[in-house]
Amino acid sequence: MTAVATVRRAREAGREVTEADLDAIRNICRCGTYHRIRQAVLEGARRMR
């Protein structure tokens, strides 16, 4: 839910989601799938257009 809110805030500001935006999300899993989760958030952001 935090990722969706982050994407929406970026869109409202008229910009794309950045790595800095993802870094600001503190509750994304830090396990071995962390990189894939970040990729999934970016892909989801692209699909939300």
Side-chain angles (χ1 to χ4, degrees), residues 7 11 17 38-49:
V7 170
R11 292 284 161 73
V17 176
R38 290 174 70 100
Q39 288 177 326
V41 171
L42 293 173
E43 179 60 26
R46 282 189 282 277
R47 291 180 183 200
M48 286 175 66
R49 293 181 184 186

Side-chain angles (χ1 to χ4, degrees), residues 1-6 9 18-31 34 37-38 41:
M1 292 187 330
T2 302
V4 172
T6 298
R9 279 194 301 273
T18 64
E19 291 294 324
D21 291 322
L22 296 179
D23 289 341
I25 301 172
R26 298 290 179 211
N27 62 348
I28 291 180
C29 177
R30 298 279 181 182
C31 68
Y34 180 71
I37 292 170
R38 290 174 70 100
V41 171

